[in-house]
Amino acid sequence: MKSLNLSRIPVSLSSISRLPTINLSILETLLHGCKSSKEFPQIHAQMTTSGFVNDTFAASRLLSYSSDAPFLDLDYSRRLLFQIQHPNCFSWNTLMRAHSRRGSPHWALLLYRLMLGSDLVPDNHTCPILLHASSLRLGGLEGKQVHAHACKFGFDSDVYVVNTLVNMYSVCGDLEDARKVFDFSPLLDYVSWNSILAAYVQAGGVERAVEIFDRMPERNTIAENSMIVLFGRCKRVSDARKVFDGMGVRDVITWTAMISCYEQNWMFKEALEVFFEMNREGVWLDEIVMVSVLAACAHLGILKEGELVHGLIIRAGLDAYVNLHNALIHLYSSCEDIIAARRLFDSAGIVDQISWNSMISGYVKCGLVEEARKYFDAMPQKDVVSWSTMISGYSQHDQFLETLELFNEMQMESIRPDETTLVGVITACARLSALEQGKWVHAYLRKNNFNINIFLGTTLVDMYMKCGCVETALTVFDEMQERGVSTWNAVILGLAMNGLIEESLRKFSEMERCGVLPNEITFVGVLGACRHAGLVDEGRFHFNAMKEVYKILPNVKHYGCMVDLLGRAGLLREAEELIESMPMAPDVATWGALLGACKKHGDTQIGERLGKKLIELEPQHDGFHILLSNLYASRGMWDGVMELRGLMKQKGVVKTPGCSMIESKGVVHEFLAGDKSHPQIKEINKMLDEMNRRLKMEGYEPDTSDVAFDIEEEEKETSLYRHSEKLAIAFGLINTSPPEPIE
């Protein structure tokens, strides 16, 4: 009777239970067809019942399959290992490697201890597996123990073990031991050199990396790419380019690294030049390089080149990638082509958080804040970037009440704000004089250990200065570890704004002694301080110094400060001559300063000539009409006042009422001149009467010369007492308890 050769019979998983025996060939066939967690136990059962599981090689093959199968849990594989009578080192290594690969490296180290307890000696593959597990766990101490075992079993001279040791120590942040392993190894290959170089590159150790790179017996593309990346991070762009130019072979990573190097260092034109050279040489383009190139186009604001890159992306078949879609949305919105950005967003098959944030940022950049808010409200899920972009957008476009309202919503959602958010909120507090909320933000920064960097510190100084808290502003300034020119500017302008002229000018002198170069804004503050104090000679000195010493060309604001300074001092002819010498057209504020000075000093001749000229230039500007009208009124020229009134009525020019804001209990209240709509208007009126009574007791007499001539003197006084500022002050006196200042 012939024996049955099962290896020649077709085997199916459904016939496993009927097999009289099993061999290696049948096992391989069965494993090849196994696709689910229900089928594998049948194969395992047949191996057990037939006793074939005791064949070490067959059992190791079964274990290898179970460890790799995504539908089987590693608990099953561990039970299988313990079922094998004499598992070999390969089986233990297989299961340890699987645990590291599938996210449970601690089990690899536990299995190693069990393996040693079974009196089995590890081989040269065991140590690299354990060292990789230690790297994943950032377990430097465990790695050192494995290193000791490698030495004990004589594997420390194995180049594969050496390379894994170098990698383990570098990943765990122990570059000194990584270097010792490298230096004392009797055998090194190109992987060894690349590993130690990668360790220094990852740590940013540029000098050590250069030393290794220079010593390499044979440089390869991987090492050269690493050096380009490192030089780019360390702002050594010329060194990166030198390596790039000296390379015999460049791959796509090389080109990407060089483009990213330029882009990271704000050399966007050079990044595009390398990209177009890459494209000319026919190098395959991937999504990573395209993202860098689109970022460069966005920074440069060059839409045409960006559209060319967009075309390349489509031809390369990369347009389905979400990150490229987001980069394109950012490009178009940065170049203010929000329609193209919207079209991309709407056509995308998949949009993620970055897609939504990019659209919000794009609309904000284009000044379409309400459209940005619609996207913000429609987002399925918001992150800190979403909140920050929207809050900053409101702040950047002077919608400060909306800024604070949205920030309060963010707090109710328990979202931790970032630096950008807080800068926007503090700016809004400064513009609204919302001191209470600004103090809360400052306390929040301290409580949550935020680093008060240049941006946050400068914004806090500006906020406290604008709210009149000079001492607190100076304390923040003194505590800052790093100060930029903007920080000094905030202090100089803030002190001048609060009438501390001498201190403001002293800060400017201190700034010069510290070696910080002033800029245009600095001199706006310095000249503004001179203007407030009437320091004509000092103002002239600084105005000339900015041109001759610091080579800063005065802009319209600097000229405006000087015109106002000269006008307040009564030097009207000199002020007019300065206006005529300006290399640019004077703005409304500059003309207004001179016209106001004419009214103050009673120079009707210059004032009338100037006022009529300005009304011709700006026929709809209510301020010029009012200034000239006040000039006529102050000189009793009521015919001129009547003529101007008629002209304003004829042209439809309406005087914009004055507006003042005040914060109380975290809420900002807004008042217009003559306002009667506030809920507390009765109490406010009583306080206004009390203020009026006390002022008269102190001998104050209001100047009614500018008020309309055809109402009674008593009515003129009443009109003055209902200015928006006085309404706000009255409200503050009612709702603010001493000694808290009214802000």
Side-chain angles (χ1 to χ4, degrees):
M1 183 175 178
K2 292 183 178 179
S3 60
L4 186 63
N5 187 351
L6 292 176
S7 64
R8 300 177 67 89
I9 300 174
V11 179
S12 67
L13 290 167
S14 60
S15 64
I16 291 175
S17 59
R18 300 194 299 274
L19 289 174
T21 185
I22 189 170
N23 61 23
L24 193 60
S25 177
I26 294 173
L27 175 64
E28 292 293 344
T29 303
L30 292 172
L31 291 176
H32 181 72
C34 180
K35 302 297 181 186
S36 74
S37 58
K38 292 182 179 179
E39 296 168 346
F40 185 83
Q42 297 178 49
I43 302 172
H44 184 189
Q46 181 63 25
M47 290 274 291
T48 303
T49 55
S50 67
F52 196 43
V53 74
N54 295 321
D55 183 298
T56 302
F57 182 79
S60 67
R61 181 70 191 92
L62 189 69
L63 179 68
S64 178
Y65 183 87
S66 72
S67 300
D68 288 338
F71 50 79
L72 291 175
D73 194 276
L74 287 177
D75 289 343
Y76 190 105
S77 299
R78 287 198 299 274
R79 291 195 296 271
L80 176 56
L81 175 70
F82 299 145
Q83 183 187 352
I84 301 171
Q85 288 185 352
H86 303 290
N88 56 17
C89 195
F90 176 82
S91 297
W92 287 95
N93 288 347
T94 297
L95 192 52
M96 286 188 282
R97 185 184 294 107
H99 276 293
S100 288
R101 190 172 58 245
R102 291 172 67 173
S104 51
H106 62 286
W107 263 109
L109 298 165
L110 290 171
L111 287 169
Y112 178 62
R113 292 193 182 98
L114 293 173
M115 174 184 168
L116 293 176
S118 68
D119 295 328
L120 196 64
V121 177
D123 61 17
N124 63 327
H125 295 285
T126 310
C127 287
I129 294 169
L130 297 171
L131 290 169
H132 179 59
S134 300
S135 300
L136 292 173
R137 286 167 53 80
L138 299 178
L141 180 60
E142 295 167 347
K144 285 187 176 183
Q145 292 173 338
V146 175
H147 188 181
H149 276 236
C151 295
K152 177 182 176 181
F153 292 113
F155 300 127
D156 53 322
S157 59
D158 184 288
V159 70
Y160 182 38
V161 174
V162 167
N163 295 342
T164 318
L165 277 167
V166 170
N167 180 69
M168 183 276 297
Y169 279 123
S170 63
V171 167
C172 295
D174 191 348
L175 286 181
E176 187 176 342
D177 280 338
R179 184 60 184 266
K180 284 179 183 176
V181 171
F182 178 83
D183 287 340
F184 289 104
S185 174
L187 182 64
L188 299 170
D189 61 7
Y190 82 95
V191 176
S192 314
W193 287 95
N194 285 343
S195 297
I196 192 65
L197 180 64
Y200 285 127
V201 168
Q202 186 66 30
V206 63
E207 299 307 327
R208 288 292 189 93
V210 169
E211 174 214 336
I212 291 293
F213 186 68
D214 290 341
R215 283 179 49 200
M216 290 183 79
E218 185 178 350
R219 293 175 184 174
N220 51 66
T221 306
I222 295 173
E224 290 165 325
N225 290 346
S226 297
M227 290 306 296
I228 293 172
V229 170
L230 177 60
F231 283 137
R233 280 199 220 127
C234 299
K235 303 187 184 303
R236 293 173 57 168
V237 181
S238 59
D239 289 326
R241 185 63 197 235
K242 186 177 178 181
V243 174
F244 179 82
D245 290 338
M247 292 177 68
V249 178
R250 298 171 183 156
D251 58 15
V252 65
I253 298 172
T254 312
W255 291 93
T256 304
M258 194 65 237
I259 292 167
S260 298
C261 171
Y262 279 129
E263 191 230 329
Q264 289 165 9
N265 289 278
W266 295 77
M267 300 173 68
F268 303 114
K269 288 183 179 179
E270 291 81 355
L272 292 179
E273 286 171 3
V274 174
F275 170 72
F276 288 121
E277 183 184 350
M278 174 187 182
N279 189 43
R280 282 194 300 272
E281 293 199 10
V283 181
W284 176 70
L285 304 173
D286 65 2
E287 57 173 311
I288 299 171
V289 72
M290 290 300 198
V291 168
S292 293
V293 171
L294 288 171
C297 292
H299 278 290
L300 291 171
I302 46 175
L303 184 57
K304 184 178 179 181
E305 287 79 357
E307 288 173 335
L308 289 173
V309 176
H310 190 177
L312 288 173
I313 289 169
I314 294 171
R315 286 197 292 276
L318 300 172
D319 51 318
Y321 286 99
V322 175
N323 58 342
L324 273 179
H325 244 83
N326 294 338
L328 284 164
I329 290 171
H330 175 64
L331 164 73
Y332 285 115
S333 59
S334 295
C335 296
E336 300 189 13
D337 188 351
I338 198 66
I339 295 173
R342 172 71 182 266
R343 193 161 48 239
L344 275 167
F345 181 85
D346 291 342
S347 66
I350 300 173
V351 292
D352 61 7
Q353 196 79 31
I354 298 173
S355 311
W356 285 95
N357 290 341
S358 297
M359 286 304 299
I360 295 171
S361 176
Y363 275 113
V364 166
K365 185 176 177 64
C366 294
L368 302 170
V369 184
E370 295 309 313
E371 289 297 320
R373 182 59 189 262
K374 288 177 185 177
Y375 273 83
F376 177 81
D377 291 337
M379 288 182 76
Q381 188 174 0
K382 302 175 182 70
D383 60 9
V384 66
V385 177
S386 318
W387 288 93
S388 178
T389 305
M390 197 64 244
I391 288 170
S392 299
Y394 275 135
S395 181
Q396 289 161 16
H397 291 87
D398 296 343
Q399 298 187 33
F400 301 115
L401 287 171
E402 291 83 352
T403 301
L404 297 186
E405 287 171 4
L406 191 58
F407 178 66
N408 290 333
E409 285 183 37
M410 182 182 185
Q411 293 300 294
M412 287 188 283
E413 294 289 334
S414 299
I415 306 292
R416 177 185 167 91
D418 61 9
E419 175 193 310
T420 307
T421 312
L422 294 171
V423 166
V425 172
I426 298 167
T427 301
C429 292
R431 295 295 294 272
L432 295 173
S433 295
L435 179 60
E436 188 177 328
Q437 181 125 28
K439 284 181 175 178
W440 183 92
V441 175
H442 192 186
Y444 181 90
L445 290 170
R446 287 175 172 165
K447 182 180 177 181
N448 291 276
N449 298 315
F450 272 84
N451 175 37
I452 306 296
N453 58 23
I454 288 178
F455 302 107
L456 281 172
T458 301
T459 314
L460 280 170
V461 169
D462 181 60
M463 185 270 294
Y464 280 122
M465 284 293 186
K466 284 177 177 169
C467 291
C469 299
V470 177
E471 290 184 9
T472 310
L474 292 175
T475 300
V476 174
F477 177 82
D478 292 337
E479 290 176 351
M480 289 176 67
Q481 299 294 317
E482 187 181 359
R483 303 172 189 141
V485 64
S486 58
T487 318
W488 289 93
N489 290 346
V491 169
I492 292 167
L493 271 73
L495 289 169
M497 179 198 312
N498 285 279
L500 301 170
I501 307 305
E502 290 184 7
E503 290 86 341
S504 176
L505 296 176
R506 274 200 293 269
K507 278 294 178 187
F508 175 67
S509 299
E510 184 183 338
M511 176 185 182
E512 290 181 306
R513 287 195 300 274
C514 290
V516 180
L517 288 175
N519 61 14
E520 294 178 352
I521 298 172
T522 315
F523 281 102
V524 170
V526 171
L527 294 174
C530 295
R531 176 187 63 185
H532 286 303
L535 303 174
V536 176
D537 290 337
E538 193 157 358
R540 288 191 185 114
F541 170 79
H542 289 300
F543 186 72
N544 291 325
M546 70 177 291
K547 295 184 288 183
E548 296 168 8
V549 178
Y550 294 103
K551 309 303 179 188
I552 299 173
L553 292 176
N555 61 31
V556 70
K557 289 185 178 180
H558 302 116
Y559 280 102
C561 285
M562 284 303 298
V563 168
D564 196 14
L565 171 60
L566 295 169
R568 289 185 185 209
L571 303 171
L572 303 180
R573 294 288 181 189
E574 185 179 346
E576 189 174 12
E577 288 170 5
L578 183 62
I579 287 181
E580 290 171 356
S581 71
M582 288 173 62
M584 74 287 293
D587 64 358
V588 169
T590 305
W591 285 117
L594 182 54
L595 185 55
C598 291
K599 184 253 177 187
K600 177 183 176 182
H601 292 285
D603 194 326
T604 312
Q605 184 180 1
I606 295 178
E608 185 175 17
R609 173 169 51 81
L610 193 60
K612 289 181 176 180
K613 178 181 178 182
L614 294 178
I615 289 171
E616 286 179 13
L617 291 173
E618 295 277 352
Q620 294 300 314
H621 194 283
D622 65 320
F624 292 150
H625 289 81
I626 300 304
L627 278 171
L628 184 55
S629 175
N630 289 344
L631 176 63
Y632 285 146
S634 67
R635 308 302 293 174
M637 300 169 64
W638 302 114
D639 290 340
V641 174
M642 285 295 292
E643 184 182 344
L644 270 175
R645 276 190 171 193
L647 190 62
M648 289 177 70
K649 189 173 182 180
Q650 182 183 342
K651 294 180 179 178
V653 178
V654 180
K655 182 183 182 297
T656 304
C659 175
S660 298
M661 288 177 284
I662 184 171
E663 181 197 24
S664 176
K665 299 179 178 61
V667 178
V668 177
H669 297 258
E670 188 175 67
F671 292 92
L672 298 176
D675 201 340
K676 296 180 181 179
S677 62
H678 196 277
Q680 289 183 267
I681 191 63
K682 289 183 179 179
E683 294 92 333
I684 292 170
N685 283 334
K686 286 181 181 179
M687 180 56 70
L688 284 172
D689 290 340
E690 178 64 16
M691 288 165 58
N692 184 16
R693 185 183 68 80
R694 293 197 184 187
L695 284 168
K696 284 190 173 181
M697 285 176 60
E698 295 295 327
Y700 170 74
E701 290 294 335
D703 180 8
T704 60
S705 61
D706 292 344
V707 185
F709 71 97
D710 54 351
I711 60 176
E712 296 296 328
E713 195 69 23
E714 186 177 341
E715 290 181 77
K716 291 182 182 182
E717 291 188 18
T718 303
S719 175
L720 287 172
Y721 280 117
R722 297 199 62 82
H723 277 184
S724 62
E725 296 95 332
K726 290 178 181 175
L727 289 168
I729 291 170
F731 172 84
L733 289 170
I734 295 168
N735 293 281
T736 306
S737 302
E740 184 180 347
I742 296 174
E743 304 292 349

